[in-house]
Amino acid sequence: MNCHEAGMLVARYTDGEVDSLQRHSIERHLRDCPACTAKHQDLLALRTQIRAEAPYYAATPALRERVRALVANAHDVAPARPRADSDRWRWLTGGAFAGCAATVLAWVLGTAVIDWRANEDVAVEAVTTHVRATLNDHLIEVASSDQHTVKPWLSARLDYSPPVHDLANEGFALRGGRLDTLDKHRVATLVYRYRQHTIDVFVRPESARAPSALRTVRGFNVAHATSQGMDWLAVSDVSPDVLTAFVERLAGADTTP
Amino acid sequence: MPEQTRFEELVLPHLDAGYNLARWLTRNVADAEDVVQDACVRALKYVGSLRDGDARAWFLTIVRRAFYDWCGRNRPAEIARDDGTAIDMAIDEAAIGPEQAALKSSESRLLADMVAELPLAYREVLILREFEELSYKEIARIADIPVGTVMSRLARARGLLQRSPLLHAIGGRSGGER
């Protein structure tokens, strides 16, 4: 590979958008090419700086209030769907939504097939649990960034002792833990913060009913790893590669204390 | 499942993501709130047709659509100026608008301000990539453009930011063309 060929591939490589073959050739090129390596470093530096300096704006309380009111009003209005025999007014206003509807339709067609069969497994349950905890503001029952506080709290309430590690120095800060039910068993849930994202990690004794290594459910990624008789199941909206690396790091943490 | 419940379970968890996008696109709180509220009205209406696919990307698509509709009503000039195709054709630096010229000369400007001043077509792909960490393919679907265009717009956005002297001062790399 020469620099010309490497051109666009450097950005794609930095964004994690290359296949294993491309990864191999670009990494080999980067080893011998200072110019392209500098380009790669620049992109990484820019990303770091954007994430450090440009704020992630969380929804304002006022907006949450307005949306809550919106949903409540929708409750009051009878859920009567507009009938097909819509009148002229409906056609006119409907026009405003037509583009939106077309996008939605294309989306649904595209994703429905892939997600069809995977409806009733542990990954889906884990995401549902994560969402419920987020919505009910019930993320944490024992709040502590100290693994020596969280672990005994969990162990006292379970028939096993989950490994707990704070990885704050790697960007994954332990915020606490709680108890959940997953696959009909009580499990330990560790809550981590990664940048503006929350990560739930379900830790349980190894189970036959484990999902594949990586799944996407309702826009959340679910990553899974197993080590030494324990299962780690991480749920979050962070990118799949970050989540996979994190869950594998957690599973490996016990072997290198 | 009734629409409201589906909305609460599927869409509400992504309200922050939707607001963050709207906030970066509108560049102010009140307008971002209006855009997201409008998006929620639409999401409530159509959530019945959303399968267990990617609810976040689905909602972001609606937020973006709501933003452009809002923008068409309130700031039509911005869409005309920052229109994606027109921008993509303006390869030459000379063709870059006064805003970007100002951006280039900004010694003391904060990076966040520079991101906010990127042309719309670049800003949206950059926000979706760097904050939501979405894949090229997902961004292409949300912004309704080909994957190749996602890549070129990302490259242009990053190029504009990297040209800033501020970044080099902080990034600490001395080599390379300025």
Side-chain angles (χ1 to χ4, degrees):
Chain A
M1 178 177 293
N2 57 37
C3 289
H4 179 67
E5 289 164 333
M8 202 60 159
L9 214 51
V10 172
R12 285 174 48 194
Y13 172 67
T14 314
D15 285 330
E17 294 266 353
V18 289
D19 59 35
S20 53
L21 197 70
Q22 290 168 322
R23 178 185 303 273
H24 179 74
S25 30
I26 188 80
E27 281 174 355
R28 209 170 50 183
H29 176 74
L30 288 180
R31 272 200 290 277
D32 321 320
C33 179
C36 288
T37 303
K39 232 164 93 179
H40 175 56
Q41 294 299 337
D42 277 355
L43 285 172
L44 287 178
L46 179 65
R47 164 164 310 158
T48 311
Q49 203 187 344
I50 290 175
R51 287 177 180 173
E53 294 181 20
Y56 186 96
Y57 297 106
T60 57
L63 175 63
R64 288 201 176 273
E65 205 38 61
R66 280 161 74 175
V67 173
R68 227 182 288 276
L70 205 67
V71 176
N73 282 338
H75 269 295
D76 294 342
V77 180
R81 303 269 215 121
R83 296 284 310 253
D85 57 350
S86 47
D87 53 30
R88 192 161 146 266
W89 179 84
R90 212 168 263 151
W91 275 109
L92 285 173
T93 51
F97 294 109
C100 177
T103 316
V104 169
L105 184 66
W107 194 275
V108 168
L109 287 178
T111 52
V113 180
I114 306 165
D115 292 305
W116 197 261
R117 55 202 185 89
N119 255 328
E120 289 200 357
D121 66 353
V122 180
V124 174
E125 198 189 336
V127 167
T128 308
T129 308
H130 170 72
V131 168
R132 196 161 295 146
T134 313
L135 286 180
N136 297 338
D137 267 339
H138 186 66
L139 272 172
I140 295 174
E141 287 166 342
V142 51
S144 171
S145 58
D146 182 2
Q147 56 209 46
H148 303 295
T149 304
V150 176
K151 186 180 164 84
W153 189 91
L154 290 168
S155 303
R157 289 161 178 79
L158 294 162
D159 55 1
Y160 63 96
S161 177
V164 181
H165 298 281
D166 180 25
L167 298 178
N169 50 5
E170 293 168 41
F172 301 92
L174 179 66
R175 291 183 57 214
R178 65 171 191 273
L179 295 172
D180 271 316
T181 308
L182 190 66
D183 201 15
K184 303 189 188 72
H185 293 286
R186 258 166 110 74
V187 298
T189 309
L190 305 177
V191 184
Y192 289 86
R193 191 88 184 156
Y194 174 70
R195 298 211 193 97
Q196 61 276 15
H197 306 278
T198 298
I199 305 180
D200 270 354
V201 183
F202 302 91
V203 190
R204 55 179 187 160
E206 197 169 352
S207 157
R209 277 177 37 93
S212 53
L214 184 70
R215 278 274 312 279
T216 301
V217 181
R218 294 186 194 167
F220 292 96
N221 294 308
V222 183
H224 173 252
T226 303
S227 161
Q228 307 203 330
M230 297 296 281
D231 252 7
W232 282 263
L233 197 64
V235 179
S236 178
D237 55 358
V238 305
S239 72
D241 44 334
V242 170
L243 197 64
T244 306
F246 171 61
V247 77
E248 281 169 359
R249 173 74 182 82
L250 274 184
D254 244 21
T255 54
T256 52
Chain B
M1 195 175 1
E3 250 74 352
Q4 295 81 22
T5 317
R6 281 184 67 83
F7 179 83
E8 283 171 343
E9 290 206 354
L10 295 173
V11 181
L12 265 194
H14 305 296
L15 195 64
D16 281 344
Y19 179 76
N20 182 55
L21 177 65
R23 177 67 178 74
W24 278 103
L25 292 180
T26 59
R27 296 187 284 210
N28 79 70
V29 176
D31 293 338
E33 288 176 349
D34 286 348
V35 165
V36 175
Q37 181 175 4
D38 180 22
C40 285
V41 170
R42 300 178 188 198
L44 254 171
K45 197 176 162 101
Y46 292 104
V47 73
S49 61
L50 170 67
R51 303 277 165 243
D52 268 358
D54 191 339
R56 178 169 56 135
W58 180 81
F59 183 54
L60 288 173
T61 309
I62 296 177
V63 169
R64 178 183 174 275
R65 203 55 257 161
F67 164 75
Y68 276 96
D69 290 347
W70 172 89
C71 204
R73 289 192 304 272
N74 297 286
R75 301 180 192 163
E78 191 166 349
I79 296 188
R81 191 191 59 214
D82 287 3
D83 170 62
T85 20
I87 287 262
D88 291 335
M89 287 193 295
I91 301 290
D92 282 336
E93 249 179 76
I96 292 174
E99 217 177 50
Q100 279 66 51
L103 186 145
K104 279 201 305 181
S105 66
S106 61
E107 297 263 358
S108 58
R109 200 71 105 343
L110 291 171
L111 181 74
D113 294 339
M114 300 194 305
V115 171
E117 283 165 16
L118 287 171
L120 264 181
Y122 296 169
R123 211 185 315 147
E124 61 182 10
V125 293
L126 190 81
I127 295 301
L128 292 171
R129 173 61 224 166
E130 299 299 1
F131 284 112
E132 297 306 329
E133 300 179 33
L134 293 165
S135 70
Y136 291 171
K137 218 164 115 191
E138 290 170 311
I139 297 172
R141 278 174 108 161
I142 292 172
D144 199 18
I145 48 177
V147 169
T149 310
V150 173
M151 289 194 263
S152 57
R153 287 186 187 175
L154 262 182
R156 304 293 313 281
R158 287 165 171 166
L160 284 169
L161 296 175
Q162 279 175 330
R163 219 169 293 157
S164 146
L166 176 76
L167 186 90
H168 282 274
I170 294 172
R173 198 181 73 80
S174 47
E177 73 281 52
R178 297 273 162 117

